[in-house]
């Protein structure tokens, strides 16, 4: 207990005495002396107790302070010991590093000394070898001179005779070796080739159906025929003008025949008719609108067909333009054989044959699928280029590998074959085309004749569209009314007929019909 507390306690005690004294004095004056004495005794006891409590509290605080000091001192000593230990460890590491560095320096000095000794020894030996080499060259020259004197020939002449004799001997051995290998190859190559080709053909199964130039459009009742024909035949004329397809409406029950050599135009006409009949609104304006939408749908379908084909064959990373060309193959034919079916078949054959020969089957499939992309040209100018060369140029343009490009360009021997992939593509193309029922030469020539017939009309200015119909017996030409007058339309019909008669060979007659249509369109707002 500190001094202030003691003072406060003393003051409190004195006040208590005074108060008690006053009270006692006021209550009992008679007992004053007794109360004073008792109060004095009680105050002394209180003071004594207060002093003893103060002393005990003081000793307790001093003891706590000593314990806290000892605890802080112990912690400080621990920190100092830890720091001393770390400093000792750091000093030890430094001494170890210094020792290691000194050892390395001593080793380096020894190595340098050893290297210098070896360099000196090497220089000495090199000098010795040079001297021996000079002595050997002198001895060799003297021997050559002695041999020239003895043989009567110079060194160059002797060398030439030796080389010639070795050449003749090596040539004879090489020819004998080559002849043996060739004979051995002749005995086994043909047999192995037949085995590989037969196994490949047996493992690939394909359909033998051939596309034709006619599609049948089924209808629910014959009443629909009248709606398709329209008043005075205006609907059927509008469909034929928009699609370039000849529509044959005859007595065949619940069927209309669509005739056209171009399968794309035929498919557009079939889908357009289906939409018109389903919708029920059939008139010239609606027909043109539906045909345009169907053309866009066919273009999208071409892309989807290309993607499905590529995925089915497991070919990856093909350029989008090449995928689009693969899709167009569905609507092209080669000698009556569907071009997409033919290309898929060739790709599968190439993959099997390449695997049998230990080559890359994926690359072979890629080349087999793309080998005929030149048969789907975008422009009329491309028709004059051989399809193999055109396909090779497109493949190079769209980043195909040189092996694939060479296989495409060389499968009809237009260019030289530079890889083993090229003859495989050529063989598989021949296998697919030579299958019984796969191709018909007559159909291909017929389609080419119709294309040439349309190309003649496009050679005249002002021609907007040209369609060969009636199996090539009629050429329907649609001209631009702004560029061609009525009089010019009549003379244009005569000029086209004379051009066909002069330049083309065809059976029967070709009727040339020139159509000039004038439209006036205004919009009321």
């Amino acid at each position: 207990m500190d001094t202030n507390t003691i003072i406060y306690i003393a003051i409190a005690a004195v006040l208590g005495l005074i108060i008690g004294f006053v009270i006692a004095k006021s209550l009992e004056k008679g007992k004053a002396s007794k109360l004073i004495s008792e109060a004095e005794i009680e105050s002394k006891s209180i003071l004594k107790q207060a002093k003893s409590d103060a002393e005990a509290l003081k000793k307790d605080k001093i003891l706590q302070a000593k314990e806290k000091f000892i605890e802080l001192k112990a912690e400080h000593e621990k920190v100092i010991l830890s720091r001393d230990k770390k400093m000792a460890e750091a000093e030890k590491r430094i001494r170890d590093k210094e020792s290691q560095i000194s050892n390395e320096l001593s080793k380096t000095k020894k190595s340098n000394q050893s290297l210098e000794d070896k360099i000196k020894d090497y220089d000495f030996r090199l000098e010795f070898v040079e001297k021996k080499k000079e002595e050997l060259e002198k001895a060799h020259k003297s021997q050559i001179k002695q041999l020239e004197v003895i043989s009567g020939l110079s060194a160059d002449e002797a060398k030439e005779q030796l080389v010639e004799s070795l050449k003749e001997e090596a040539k004879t051995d090489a020819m004998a070796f080559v002849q043996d290998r060739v004979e051995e190859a002749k005995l086994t190559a043909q047999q192995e080739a037949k085995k590989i080709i037969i196994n490949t053909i047996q493992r690939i199964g394909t359909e033998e159906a051939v596309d034709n130039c006619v599609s049948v459009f089924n209808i629910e009742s014959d009443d629909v025929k009248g709606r398709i024909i329209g008043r005075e035949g205006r609907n059927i004329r509008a469909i034929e003008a928009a699609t370039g397809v000849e529509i044959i409406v005859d007595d065949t029950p619940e069927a209309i025949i669509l005739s056209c050599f171009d399968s794309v135009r035929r498919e557009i006409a079939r889908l357009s008719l289906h939409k018109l009949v389903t919708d029920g609104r059939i008139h010239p304006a609606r027909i043109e609108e539906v045909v345009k939408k169907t053309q866009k749908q066919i273009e999208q379908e071409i892309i989807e067909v290309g993607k499905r084909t590529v995925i089915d064959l497991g070919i990856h990373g093909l350029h989008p333009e090449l995928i689009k060309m693969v899709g167009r193959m569905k609507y092209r034919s080669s000698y009556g054989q569907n071009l997409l079916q033919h290309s898929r078949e060739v790709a599968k054959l190439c993959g099997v044959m390449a695997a049998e020969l230990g080559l890359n089957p994926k690359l072979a499939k890629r080349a087999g699928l793309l080998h005929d992309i030149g048969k789907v040209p975008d422009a009329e100018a491309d028709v004059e280029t051989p399809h193999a060369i055109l396909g090779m140029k497109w493949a190079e343009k769209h980043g195909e590998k040189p092996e694939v490009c060479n296989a495409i360009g060389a499968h009809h021997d237009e260019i030289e074959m530079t890889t083993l992939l090229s003859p495989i593509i050529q063989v598989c193309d021949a296998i697919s085309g030579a299958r019984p029922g796969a191709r018909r030469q007559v159909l291909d020539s017929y389609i080419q004749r119709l294309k040439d017939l349309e190309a003649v009309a496009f050679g005249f200015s002002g021609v907007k569209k040209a369609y060969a119909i009636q199996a090539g017996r009629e050429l329907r030409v649609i001209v631009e009314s702004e560029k061609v007058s009525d009089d010019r339309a009549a003379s244009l019909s005569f000029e086209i007929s004379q051009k066909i008669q002069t330049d083309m060979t065809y059976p029967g007659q070709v009727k040339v019909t020139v159509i000039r249509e004038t439209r006036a369109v205004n919009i009321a707002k």
Side-chain angles (χ1 to χ4, degrees):
M1 187 178 293
D2 56 6
T3 306
N4 292 328
T5 305
I6 294 169
I7 293 170
Y8 290 145
I9 292 171
I11 293 170
V14 172
L15 289 174
L17 288 174
I18 295 170
I19 292 169
F21 178 77
V22 173
I23 293 171
K25 192 71 175 173
S26 63
L27 291 176
E28 293 182 5
K29 293 180 178 180
K31 299 179 179 180
S33 59
K34 185 179 179 179
L35 289 172
I36 290 169
S37 62
E38 289 178 354
E40 288 177 352
I41 293 168
E42 186 177 357
S43 64
K44 288 179 180 178
S45 65
I46 291 170
L47 287 171
K48 186 178 181 180
Q49 183 67 33
K51 287 179 180 180
S52 63
D53 291 342
E55 287 295 329
L57 183 62
K58 184 177 180 181
K59 290 178 180 180
D60 185 48
K61 291 294 183 180
I62 291 170
L63 183 61
Q64 289 180 1
K66 287 181 179 180
E67 290 177 353
K68 187 67 175 176
F69 174 75
I70 292 169
E71 183 180 350
L72 292 173
K73 184 179 179 182
E75 289 180 358
H76 183 66
E77 288 176 351
K78 287 181 181 179
V79 172
I80 292 172
L81 288 173
S82 175
R83 289 180 180 176
D84 291 342
K85 186 177 179 181
K86 289 181 180 178
M87 289 178 64
E89 291 176 353
E91 290 176 354
K92 183 179 179 183
R93 287 198 299 270
I94 292 170
R95 286 196 297 271
D96 293 340
K97 287 287 184 182
E98 289 177 351
S99 176
Q100 185 178 357
I101 291 169
S102 62
N103 292 333
E104 292 291 336
L105 287 173
S106 63
K107 289 180 181 179
T108 304
K109 289 180 180 179
K110 290 179 181 179
S111 299
N112 290 335
Q113 186 63 37
S114 175
L115 183 62
E116 289 177 359
D117 295 339
K118 288 180 179 180
I119 291 172
K120 290 179 181 179
D121 183 56
Y122 173 75
D123 292 337
F124 175 75
R125 292 186 179 185
L126 184 62
E127 185 178 355
F128 179 76
V129 169
E130 290 292 336
K131 290 180 180 179
K132 290 293 183 182
K133 186 177 179 181
E134 291 177 0
E135 293 176 359
L136 185 61
E137 286 179 357
K138 290 179 181 179
H140 181 64
K141 289 179 180 179
S142 65
Q143 287 180 356
I144 290 173
K145 288 180 180 179
Q146 291 177 4
L147 289 172
E148 288 177 354
V149 172
I150 294 169
S151 63
L153 295 172
S154 65
D156 294 335
E157 292 174 351
K159 189 185 295 182
E160 288 177 2
Q161 289 184 4
L162 179 60
V163 169
E164 289 297 328
S165 64
L166 291 174
K167 277 184 180 179
E168 292 297 327
E169 184 178 353
K171 190 183 294 183
T172 304
D173 294 341
M175 289 178 65
F177 178 78
V178 170
Q179 189 67 25
D180 292 340
R181 297 287 81 77
V182 168
E183 293 297 329
E184 184 180 352
K186 285 181 179 178
L187 293 174
T188 58
Q190 190 172 6
Q191 183 178 358
E192 290 296 324
K194 286 182 179 179
K195 180 181 176 182
I196 291 174
I197 291 173
I198 291 170
N199 288 338
T200 304
I201 294 172
Q202 287 176 344
R203 291 170 63 181
I204 303 297
T206 56
E207 300 176 358
E208 294 189 359
V210 179
D211 291 343
N212 51 29
C213 293
V214 175
S215 296
V216 178
F217 178 71
N218 297 313
I219 55 178
E220 294 180 356
S221 64
D222 290 341
D223 296 338
V224 180
K225 290 183 180 180
R227 295 167 57 197
I228 292 175
I229 293 171
R231 184 182 300 173
E232 298 178 356
R234 64 175 187 174
N235 290 345
I236 196 169
R237 286 198 301 272
I239 295 172
E240 289 180 346
T243 61
V245 175
E246 182 183 2
I247 301 177
I248 303 171
V249 182
D250 54 14
D251 296 335
T252 305
E254 298 181 356
I256 293 175
I257 298 174
L258 309 177
S259 176
C260 181
F261 70 94
D262 191 334
S263 54
V264 178
R265 293 188 342 215
R266 197 166 67 245
E267 182 67 10
I268 291 173
R270 188 186 69 79
L271 292 176
S272 300
L273 271 177
H274 177 72
K275 291 179 181 178
L276 290 168
V277 170
T278 304
D279 183 51
R281 294 177 295 166
I282 306 176
H283 52 83
R286 175 66 177 163
I287 288 168
E288 291 183 1
E289 178 185 351
V290 170
V291 168
K292 288 181 180 178
K293 289 182 178 179
T294 307
Q295 287 174 347
K296 293 181 180 179
Q297 179 183 342
I298 289 294
E299 290 176 0
Q300 188 62 33
E301 184 181 346
I302 285 172
I303 297 173
E304 292 299 324
V305 168
K307 289 181 179 179
R308 285 198 303 270
T309 302
V310 169
I311 292 171
D312 290 344
L313 293 174
I315 298 172
H316 305 285
L318 203 63
H319 194 277
E321 286 298 323
L322 295 179
I323 292 176
K324 192 183 293 184
M325 291 178 187
V326 171
R328 286 183 190 149
M329 290 182 184
K330 179 181 178 182
Y331 301 103
R332 294 288 187 273
S333 62
S334 176
Y335 299 103
Q337 184 181 24
N338 183 270
L339 194 57
L340 180 59
Q341 180 182 339
H342 165 66
S343 297
R344 287 174 65 102
E345 184 179 353
V346 171
K348 292 178 181 178
L349 288 168
C350 290
V352 175
M353 194 171 290
E356 291 287 341
L357 293 172
L359 301 176
N360 188 344
K362 291 186 177 180
L363 205 62
K365 278 186 180 181
R366 198 182 193 95
L369 179 64
L370 300 177
H371 81 284
D372 268 348
I373 57 172
K375 289 186 177 180
V376 285
D378 289 330
E380 292 295 329
D382 295 335
V383 177
E384 299 177 358
T385 308
H387 75 273
I389 302 298
L390 187 60
M392 181 185 69
K393 290 180 179 178
W394 283 348
E396 290 174 348
K397 179 181 177 182
H398 297 302
E400 288 299 316
K401 293 183 178 180
E403 300 94 320
V404 175
C405 298
N406 181 259
I408 295 171
H411 78 276
H412 284 311
D413 294 322
E414 275 87 359
I415 63 173
E416 183 182 357
M417 296 182 182
T418 58
T419 64
L420 288 175
L421 199 61
S422 301
I424 292 176
I425 304 301
Q426 188 179 50
V427 169
C428 294
D429 180 45
I431 291 171
S432 176
R435 224 177 359 86
R439 292 184 172 183
R440 291 190 302 206
Q441 179 73 29
V442 178
L443 178 62
D444 193 70
S445 60
Y446 158 73
I447 291 175
Q448 186 61 42
R449 180 169 64 84
L450 297 188
K451 288 183 178 179
D452 293 341
L453 194 62
E454 292 181 352
V456 169
F458 281 114
F460 291 86
S461 62
V463 175
K464 184 179 180 182
K465 298 178 182 177
Y467 301 125
I469 59 177
Q470 296 284 348
R473 292 189 296 273
E474 181 179 352
L475 179 63
R476 189 165 294 176
V477 182
I478 301 173
V479 298
E480 300 178 16
S481 59
E482 297 85 359
K483 296 182 180 179
V484 179
S485 63
D486 289 338
D487 295 336
R488 174 58 186 159
S491 62
L492 185 63
S493 174
F494 175 75
E495 291 174 5
I496 293 174
S497 64
Q498 292 299 311
K499 181 75 171 176
I500 294 171
Q501 186 174 343
T502 305
D503 296 348
M504 296 186 64
T505 302
Y506 52 91
Q509 297 177 344
V510 178
K511 177 183 176 182
V512 180
T513 303
V514 176
I515 300 172
R516 179 180 180 271
E517 182 182 25
T518 303
R519 294 188 184 185
V521 179
N522 289 289
I523 300 173
K525 297 183 180 179

